[in-house]
Amino acid sequence: MNFRPTIVAFLCNWCAYTGADLAGTSRLKYAPNIRIIRIMCSGRIDPTFVLKAFQQGADGVLICGCHPGDCHYQEGNYKCLRRFKLLQKYIAQMGIEKERLQLEWISASEGKQFSELVNNMTKTMLTLGPSKIKSSLEVEYIK
Amino acid sequence: MSIRVNPELRNQLIQYGIGDWNACYHCGTCTAMCPLSEEGFLFPRKKIRLMQMGLEAQLESSVEPWLCYYCGDCTKTCPRDANPGELMMSLRRYLTSRYDWTGLSKKFYTSETWEIGFILFFAVMVVLSFLVILPSFGFRFTTELTAQGGVKVNSFAPIHIVEKFDWTMAIIVASLLISNILRMYYKIIWKSGQEKVSLFVHIREFWLLIFNFAVQPKFSKCDDKNYWISHWFLMSGYTIMFIVIVVYLPWFQTEKILPIYNLQRLLGYYATFGLLFGLLVAIIGRARREDVKFRFSHVSDWLFLFMLTSTVVTGILIHIFRINGMAYATYIAYIAHMAVLVPMILIEVPFSKWSHLAYRPFAVYFTQLKKYAIPR
Amino acid sequence: MEEPRIGVYVCWCGTNIAKMVDVEAVTTEVGKLPNVVLAKNYKYMCSDPGQELIIKDIKGHNLNRVIVAACSPRIHELTFRNAVEKAGINPYLFEMANIREQDSWVHTDRTEATTKAIDLVIAAVRRVLYHEPLEKRSVSVDPATLVIGGGISGMMASLEIANAGKKVYLIEKTDHLGGHVVKFDLTFPHLSSAKQMMRPILQRVENHPNIEVFLQTEIHEVTGYVGNFKTTLRNKDNEGTELKFGNIIAAVGLKPFDPSKIEEYGYGKFPDVITSMEFEDMLGTGKILTKYGKEPRNIAIIHCVGSRNKKYHEYCSRTCCMAALKFVHQIRAALPSTNIFEIYADMRAYGKGHEEFYAMTTHKQIMFLMYDQQERLPVIRQANRSDDCNMIIEMDEKLSGLPIEVPVDMVILMVNMEAHENVKDVVHAIGVSLCGNQFFIEKHPKLDPVATTTAGVYIVGTCQGPKDIPDSVAQARAAAARILATIEGGTVPVEVTTSFVNEKLCCGCQTCISVCPYSAISFNEIKKVSEVNEVLCKGCGTCGSACPTGAIKCKHFTDLQILSEIEGIMSMSY
């Protein structure tokens, strides 16, 4: 069977989620591999959420927040950015390619950018192939 | 080099009929609409800008105003009612006064007193000449009729003298006009500075001048062809009349009443019809003010129509009176004819509206020269 | 806790969803899940019959959790929350799955879209299992209002509130009320006198029994929360005066741009290059004269000074074009034969009566010259002795494409409206955000342009962005109406989905305090644990993800809920 990557996306309610909604109302088409989870602020994203997604077999995790300076909660997106940098290093150590975790700023008006982002990320996942982390975890578990 | 703007030029331009000249906000619709505007010679917007900024030298070296035949499409489509067509018309008046070195053109355009005074002066001079001076040169008022019953018009106005007078007038007017055309050439081609045109091109493209004078092909490119047709009739009628009066007067001014199908009469009738038709279109148009082309009339426009119509009407009267043997009526009509014709030719041809008969074809010619110009 | 009994409703949204998603398949698939008591699909869930269906089922099947898979929760979450509340279920026991904006409308493969819809609904089911009922809360509102800034916006807002019989504390930094407008001579586009307009307003504000004016006073710190703010004044007259108020209006206004930053204009170097504000002052004296006391023969008005230019400010100040045209009328009246040059980048006449004003002004014998902000700014230089003018402006005239020079004796620079310099103090005190241009950010750029994300704090006038007098006044009165409505209500609702600290798990590291943008978390020195002030908390959840021990629970976005949602979303993929 062809590889169909799964991308879990965490979108902040005010900018990115609204931007993704706009892609819908504008009827822009993008790859169906993405599953969006709404959170109030990208600052809410706990590293556990990302790791959980990978553990569950996600091939990629996408985080989208408001552009710097536009955060609905003043500075949650900056906090998210710091965590993201650390997380990328961390997953690399775990054997997950760092390209599998992406952070992008999407404003409420950037429906087009969002759809392009999803398509590009899907393409990246297709070139990377399936994430091996889930299967390797399962092996450990069987032992 | 920076060019100094001149906010005071507008005070001059206003006298040439520029109306709401600041209304234009340069969308360029006029230039886009214009069927005559072409790459390298774009108008009216660019020219309106020069007027607004008071750039005298740039205006004087513009050939474009003469390439506009005032179809009025620009004015109809102008979103700001800035009336680009009339602005171009005003610019032609201004340029006529700038080509003229005597300063009379400016006087006539900007002062009604000067213009009407000039006309009246020459009209009176003509009448006085006929009454006081010319009889001693052999001009005879006689009630004697010819064998055919026509008026002896050649006794009243001996051809050899009238012919000399015609030639004198033609030479005076032509030399004034030619000197103005040379100034026009100097401003448009010579002084523009950036380009040089070879003598060969000058000669090669000369045919354009003749062709454009005779046919006005550019005018025919305007969307409404009717004005081109009526103008052509007027123009051809006038040209025929001019040639027969100046060059072939002995053939044209005859005492003998020729058969109606004779070339002399046919040409005369055609010219009269052409003139009357063209005049009628213009007079009705200007009076009704419905077509944008005729909506705004400068004093000089009306005066020109009045004088040319008077000339034609008195001309017709001479003919009718002459062949019907009404001697004094013929003489009065003849004097009146000359009294309007002489000042009209003197004012209109070198100094005013009628000078366009030369400037327009020359402008087409100069435009063509500019196209072949080599950057200096 | 009682056993979850979930009802799932899949919406067709006419054909909007049903065309791309097999709603029947989704319903069947989801119906198989544990705890799902019933799964149904319906043409329009948001319609009255759709909502009735939910209410009937809740009662008939004893449901205690509801999921609607339909459009974006940003559209109908509130609709369905109200519906389930009607049926007696806490609205926070409801969850939505977005299968329209983020599924049926953006995909082209029906199988893929259906699979995705199933994933999203499963995720919602898994999430809703851990939902908890949350209580709506509200706080009482102090009827007094603090207005910061005594310009036209601040005064109009104050009058509106005071006239309704409510107390207003009006704080003004300078020694006079009236702001910039009181210094103006005429206003556009009707050319009516600004001073005449302002005089009665000033009198009414100064004499109003409900308005207490504090001049030469600044606000340094505001404590409390919506309905119950507090500040202590610090200036020589009112040292230590404590004010209590329920709402705040920030009307701190603008600052004119300093044109000496633009070298080309030589402001400060040439005495007769003045700003529009300085020209207003000159008009106030009744005479237009150069620094040598002569009547200028040529006056140039340069537009967009500091505006619409990446080097200075990219935004448009909105009022300068019309103000520049207004000056034309004033100059014409005083000096009928003086040449006026309007050197502009674009003429912006967007307001009521402005285009007409522009058209009317073009007849005033002025010369419009256009420059290109992106190319080269006009340059002012000293004229030579042989010139009959003081200065020369050299510029590339855009509409003619010619390099030109303009003779001038006086240049008026239409300076940009900048955010006020001391804005950062106020921002810090009242807890509002600034945009990139240092203007206050409104709660919603279109639907809520007077409120801020801090409840009880409103922004009016030019501190929110450049605007003219009518716009400022409209905003001021709108803010006043909003405040009066909350005062009338007596209480205001506060955020429900706040954070909560589990004292048993809190180790007292205070990381949460350092990350909270609203200073809503404080440290209890006795218990050695953090505590969340749930009135100040906006529910962003940043503290929750920073807490190393998991002591902080972000209500409605708990770790458990989100992790469960992740599991749900991935359950069908392998």
Side-chain angles (χ1 to χ4, degrees), chain B residues 203-258:
Chain B
I203 298 164
R204 191 186 63 194
E205 302 299 331
F206 195 76
W207 67 275
L208 262 175
L209 189 67
I210 316 290
F211 177 55
N212 274 275
F213 180 87
V215 189
Q216 296 102 43
K218 274 195 174 280
F219 201 170
S220 73
K221 281 187 194 148
C222 289
D223 283 347
D224 192 343
K225 309 277 182 266
N226 292 337
Y227 288 122
W228 170 63
I229 294 168
S230 70
H231 178 268
W232 191 82
F233 273 117
L234 178 86
M235 190 277 313
S236 58
Y238 175 73
T239 312
I240 289 169
M241 230 13 142
F242 180 82
I243 292 169
V244 296
I245 285 174
V246 177
V247 187
Y248 299 108
L249 191 73
W251 175 76
F252 190 67
Q253 184 178 311
T254 53
E255 285 182 356
K256 194 178 171 197
I257 300 166
L258 294 166

Side-chain angles (χ1 to χ4, degrees), chain C residues 389-400:
Chain C
C389 54
N390 284 345
M391 295 168 285
I392 302 274
I393 302 176
E394 284 180 3
M395 62 180 285
D396 294 327
E397 209 283 326
K398 195 177 174 183
L399 293 174
S400 60

Side-chain angles (χ1 to χ4, degrees), chain C residues 173-228:
Chain C
K173 188 178 69 167
T174 67
D175 61 356
H176 66 274
L177 291 175
H180 287 289
V181 178
V182 81
K183 293 181 202 151
F184 294 165
D185 182 29
L186 300 183
T187 58
F188 62 80
H190 306 295
L191 300 173
S192 53
S193 164
K195 290 189 177 71
Q196 270 179 33
M197 176 184 83
M198 289 299 275
R199 207 169 296 131
I201 296 171
L202 285 165
Q203 279 173 0
R204 275 158 61 203
V205 169
E206 280 159 5
N207 302 325
H208 205 292
N210 288 334
I211 303 179
E212 204 171 323
V213 179
F214 298 92
L215 292 176
Q216 290 177 290
T217 306
E218 286 182 58
I219 293 292
H220 294 283
E221 198 189 16
V222 175
T223 55
Y225 45 85
V226 58
N228 303 277

Side-chain angles (χ1 to χ4, degrees), chain C residues 146-276:
Chain C
L146 179 79
V147 177
I148 309 170
I152 186 146
S153 314
M155 289 198 298
M156 294 310 287
S158 300
L159 279 174
E160 195 75 26
I161 296 169
N163 286 342
K166 310 295 176 196
K167 184 81 190 167
V168 174
Y169 302 113
L170 178 56
I171 309 285
E172 168 57 39
K173 188 178 69 167
T174 67
D175 61 356
H176 66 274
L177 291 175
H180 287 289
V181 178
V182 81
K183 293 181 202 151
F184 294 165
D185 182 29
L186 300 183
T187 58
F188 62 80
H190 306 295
L191 300 173
S192 53
S193 164
K195 290 189 177 71
Q196 270 179 33
M197 176 184 83
M198 289 299 275
R199 207 169 296 131
I201 296 171
L202 285 165
Q203 279 173 0
R204 275 158 61 203
V205 169
E206 280 159 5
N207 302 325
H208 205 292
N210 288 334
I211 303 179
E212 204 171 323
V213 179
F214 298 92
L215 292 176
Q216 290 177 290
T217 306
E218 286 182 58
I219 293 292
H220 294 283
E221 198 189 16
V222 175
T223 55
Y225 45 85
V226 58
N228 303 277
F229 291 111
K230 222 173 11 179
T231 190
T232 310
L233 298 181
R234 277 185 281 166
N235 74 349
K236 58 180 191 308
D237 297 331
N238 307 294
E239 185 64 46
T241 308
E242 190 173 89
L243 301 178
K244 286 184 178 173
F245 40 90
N247 292 282
I248 301 172
I249 292 180
V252 298
L254 64 97
K255 182 179 80 113
F257 173 79
D258 173 14
S260 59
K261 286 178 202 159
I262 306 179
E263 226 170 83
E264 285 90 335
Y265 297 154
Y267 178 76
K269 192 171 111 193
F270 303 116
D272 285 311
V273 175
I274 59 174
T275 68
S276 39

Side-chain angles (χ1 to χ4, degrees), chain B residues 21-277:
Chain B
W21 70 310
N22 229 354
C24 168
Y25 59 13
H26 300 276
C27 59
T29 307
C30 50
T31 305
M33 281 302 297
C34 181
L36 297 173
S37 182
E38 56 175 316
E39 189 59 44
F41 298 90
L42 294 169
F43 61 89
R45 186 202 72 82
K46 249 181 143 170
K47 300 299 132 183
I48 296 174
R49 193 59 184 157
L50 298 179
M51 283 193 261
Q52 288 178 335
M53 291 166 65
L55 301 181
E56 224 168 319
Q58 278 66 24
L59 282 172
E60 281 185 6
S61 64
S62 297
V63 70
E64 290 86 348
W66 298 109
L67 305 179
C68 158
Y69 284 81
Y70 205 166
C71 64
D73 279 355
C74 49
T75 296
K76 279 181 220 153
T77 50
C78 178
R80 296 277 288 183
D81 291 335
N83 204 348
E86 192 59 23
L87 286 171
M88 293 299 276
M89 184 70 224
S90 313
L91 197 49
R92 286 193 286 277
R93 293 184 194 119
Y94 171 73
L95 288 178
T96 304
S97 79
R98 301 304 293 175
Y99 299 152
D100 168 46
W101 50 272
T102 60
L104 282 168
S105 175
K106 188 182 171 183
K107 282 267 188 283
F108 294 149
Y109 268 128
T110 56
S111 159
E112 290 151 34
T113 324
W114 259 87
E115 188 163 22
I116 294 168
F118 190 92
I119 293 166
L120 288 178
F121 174 75
F122 276 94
V124 170
M125 287 298 286
V126 167
V127 175
L128 284 179
S129 306
F130 272 104
L131 299 180
V132 184
I133 308 163
L134 291 175
S136 58
F137 285 88
F139 284 56
R140 284 193 304 117
F141 294 88
T142 171
T143 48
E144 262 177 64
L145 298 179
T146 60
Q148 287 171 308
V151 177
K152 286 191 159 177
V153 71
N154 286 357
S155 309
F156 166 69
I159 288 179
H160 64 280
I161 298 178
V162 178
E163 202 179 11
K164 273 188 196 125
F165 175 74
D166 283 0
W167 275 106
T168 318
M169 279 274 290
I171 289 165
I172 292 171
V173 168
S175 44
L176 280 168
L177 194 57
I178 288 166
S179 64
N180 289 348
I181 290 165
L182 286 174
R183 278 169 61 84
M184 179 186 179
Y185 176 80
Y186 172 72
K187 286 171 194 292
I188 292 174
I189 305 282
W190 197 264
K191 212 174 118 191
S192 67
Q194 278 110 27
E195 55 236 336
K196 205 166 78 177
V197 190
S198 71
L199 188 64
F200 172 68
V201 174
H202 276 82
I203 298 164
R204 191 186 63 194
E205 302 299 331
F206 195 76
W207 67 275
L208 262 175
L209 189 67
I210 316 290
F211 177 55
N212 274 275
F213 180 87
V215 189
Q216 296 102 43
K218 274 195 174 280
F219 201 170
S220 73
K221 281 187 194 148
C222 289
D223 283 347
D224 192 343
K225 309 277 182 266
N226 292 337
Y227 288 122
W228 170 63
I229 294 168
S230 70
H231 178 268
W232 191 82
F233 273 117
L234 178 86
M235 190 277 313
S236 58
Y238 175 73
T239 312
I240 289 169
M241 230 13 142
F242 180 82
I243 292 169
V244 296
I245 285 174
V246 177
V247 187
Y248 299 108
L249 191 73
W251 175 76
F252 190 67
Q253 184 178 311
T254 53
E255 285 182 356
K256 194 178 171 197
I257 300 166
L258 294 166
I260 197 133
Y261 48 79
N262 186 285
L263 188 64
Q264 183 221 44
R265 285 184 75 168
L266 285 181
L267 271 181
Y269 289 147
Y270 168 76
T272 310
F273 159 76
L275 282 163
L276 273 183
F277 177 64

Side-chain angles (χ1 to χ4, degrees), chain A residues 4 13 17-18 21 24 27-32 34-36 38 40 43-44 49 52 57-58 73 79 83, chain C residues 72-74 77 98 101-102 105-107 112 116 119 515 517-518 540-542 545 557 559 566-567 570:
Chain A
R4 282 171 49 239
N13 179 55
Y17 195 88
T18 317
D21 275 354
R27 307 296 198 277
L28 302 167
K29 306 297 175 202
Y30 54 78
I34 190 158
R35 304 286 183 267
I36 295 168
R38 180 167 74 132
M40 292 313 276
R44 172 69 186 102
F49 300 167
K52 178 76 176 179
Y73 301 105
K79 311 255 158 63
R83 282 181 198 137
Chain C
S72 171
R74 294 185 59 87
E77 190 172 52
N98 186 345
E101 277 84 347
Q102 296 179 2
W105 276 353
V106 289
H107 301 318
E112 291 276 11
K116 181 170 176 179
D119 283 355
V515 298
Y518 299 98
C540 66
T542 304
S545 48
F557 288 88
D559 288 358
I566 298 169
E567 278 176 12
M570 298 298 300

